[in-house]
Amino acid sequence: IIALSIIIGTIMTMSSSNWLMAWLGLELNMLAILPILSKPKTSRASEATTKYFLTQAIASAMMLLSSTINAWQTGNWGISELKNKFSTTIMALSLMMKMGAAPVHFWLPEVLQGTTLQTALLITTWQKIAPITLMYMISNNIQPTILVFAGILSMIIGGLGGINQTQLRKMMAYSSINNLGWTITIMAFSPNTALMNIFTYIIMTTPIFLMMTSMSTKTLQNLSTTWTTSMTMTLSIALLMLSTSGLPPFTGFMPKMLILNELISQKLTILATLAIMTSLISLLFYLRVTYLIMMLTPPMTTPSSTKWRAQNQKSQPTTMMTPTALFTTHLIPAIPF
């Protein structure tokens, strides 16, 4: 019932042309995921659930406020009829809060850290689809300045926030914020490229979380000893991290190159340069993870004391893991030129 509610909520929001139906879909989605968040009987899970509920409720209230003001001004509840500048700004801010983009991103790392890896995967992938779709629908009405400011801020915060992390879930949260920055920035100029970017990110994030779940790896210290349980999966995570960072010749380079190409063709060279510089910051913590995995295998083992790991633990690859991992590393020939 919970899984069905999450799916129906997102589909309802994506297919609606009315703000009330879109809001109803988002509420159904939020209420359905709360039991999943609070399933682990720990204080951290309860805290994460409360934080998630409060931020999503505030975002929903802002969304209702925006659509009500617009309906009051124009007499229309249609999504494409969002003409009022004040309503548009409030709506953009509420959707950014829903998906966890800067400057309203503070809940995302904390919530991800307090949940299981499977729930973290759900929040960083599926839960972003509905707000991104709504932003896509109103992208022509949002002022480009707001989107560019939020996008660049998300890139900087996502890059700087992830550098000092040792917890992989928090690192992936900042990676998500950084990627949302790219999506929101290009949303103002080419919404189709923005959609391609977010779906490429979902394809790249899914196998990383599935592999971390399979190997029960939650910290960098655990990651440095995963070669003892599954060498193939360890190397795969290293390649997936490089792909997510946007290094060629992996799939992650494709959306970044198309975004930069679009920005330069719009005569926004300074913005493109700024985006490249912020991606270099995020590249630092991806390379740190890759170094830990690739360079600290025998005979160059890590000098730090490692946690005890169960030797009889076998990594079971899931159905989704192999195809998504392949797409993450080999999709670059599909670039639409």
Side-chain angles (χ1 to χ4, degrees), residues 50-75:
T50 311
K51 283 176 179 174
Y52 185 81
F53 172 73
L54 288 174
T55 49
Q56 297 296 314
I58 291 165
S60 294
M62 287 168 66
M63 193 175 166
L64 266 184
L65 170 71
S66 167
S67 52
T68 309
I69 289 171
N70 187 66
W72 183 37
Q73 295 272 331
T74 62

Side-chain angles (χ1 to χ4, degrees), residues 111-303:
V111 168
L112 253 60
Q113 186 57 29
T115 59
T116 60
L117 285 164
Q118 293 97 322
T119 317
L121 169 63
L122 189 65
I123 292 170
T124 50
T125 54
W126 183 263
Q127 293 298 96
K128 285 184 172 32
I129 295 173
I132 285 278
T133 309
L134 287 175
M135 189 174 271
Y136 175 82
M137 286 194 231
I138 62 166
S139 58
N140 290 333
N141 301 327
I142 306 174
Q143 295 175 53
T145 319
I146 296 167
L147 289 176
V148 168
F149 173 74
I152 292 295
L153 198 62
S154 294
M155 286 184 206
I156 294 167
I157 288 169
L160 293 175
I163 286 175
N164 207 28
Q165 297 300 331
T166 55
Q167 296 287 335
L168 288 174
R169 281 168 295 181
K170 274 195 175 180
M171 193 181 288
M172 291 309 293
Y174 282 110
S175 163
S176 171
I177 293 165
N178 179 270
N179 197 273
L180 277 174
W182 284 84
T183 308
I184 292 168
T185 304
I186 199 60
M187 188 71 82
F189 310 105
S190 176
N192 292 333
T193 313
L195 274 191
M196 191 205 68
N197 181 56
I198 197 70
F199 282 116
T200 309
Y201 172 74
I202 288 171
I203 290 170
M204 290 189 296
T205 308
T206 306
I208 294 176
F209 272 111
L210 290 175
M211 286 180 190
M212 287 197 298
T213 307
S214 182
M215 295 190 292
S216 65
T217 306
K218 293 176 183 176
T219 62
L220 282 178
Q221 194 177 22
N222 290 156
L223 203 62
S224 64
T225 56
T226 47
W227 55 267
T228 56
T229 53
S230 175
M231 194 68 189
T232 311
M233 218 172 273
T234 308
L235 293 173
S236 298
I237 284 192
L239 293 176
L240 291 171
M241 285 288 181
L242 289 177
S243 181
T244 316
S245 69
L247 276 181
F250 300 110
T251 307
F253 176 64
M254 176 177 68
K256 282 190 167 61
M257 188 177 70
L258 291 172
I259 289 169
L260 292 172
N261 183 44
E262 183 65 33
L263 289 174
I264 291 165
S265 66
Q266 297 269 2
K267 303 286 188 290
L268 295 163
T269 318
I270 295 170
L271 185 60
T273 311
L274 203 58
I276 292 167
M277 287 169 73
T278 53
S279 75
L280 287 175
I281 303 169
S282 62
L283 181 64
L284 189 63
F285 68 81
Y286 289 117
L287 284 175
R288 183 163 160 241
V289 175
T290 312
Y291 169 77
L292 270 173
I293 297 170
M294 302 282 249
M295 303 306 235
L296 297 182
T297 50
M300 292 178 62
T301 49
T302 170

Side-chain angles (χ1 to χ4, degrees), residues 6-53:
I6 291 172
I7 294 165
I8 288 171
T10 304
I11 291 171
M12 192 189 292
T13 304
M14 289 170 71
S15 56
S16 61
S17 59
N18 186 296
W19 278 119
L20 286 177
M21 286 301 290
W23 174 81
L24 199 66
L26 286 169
E27 286 302 292
L28 178 64
N29 189 302
M30 180 191 74
L31 291 172
I33 203 173
L34 291 178
I36 299 176
L37 281 166
S38 59
K39 192 184 175 187
K41 298 294 178 277
T42 59
S43 56
R44 296 227 42 178
S46 306
E47 184 188 337
T49 311
T50 311
K51 283 176 179 174
Y52 185 81
F53 172 73

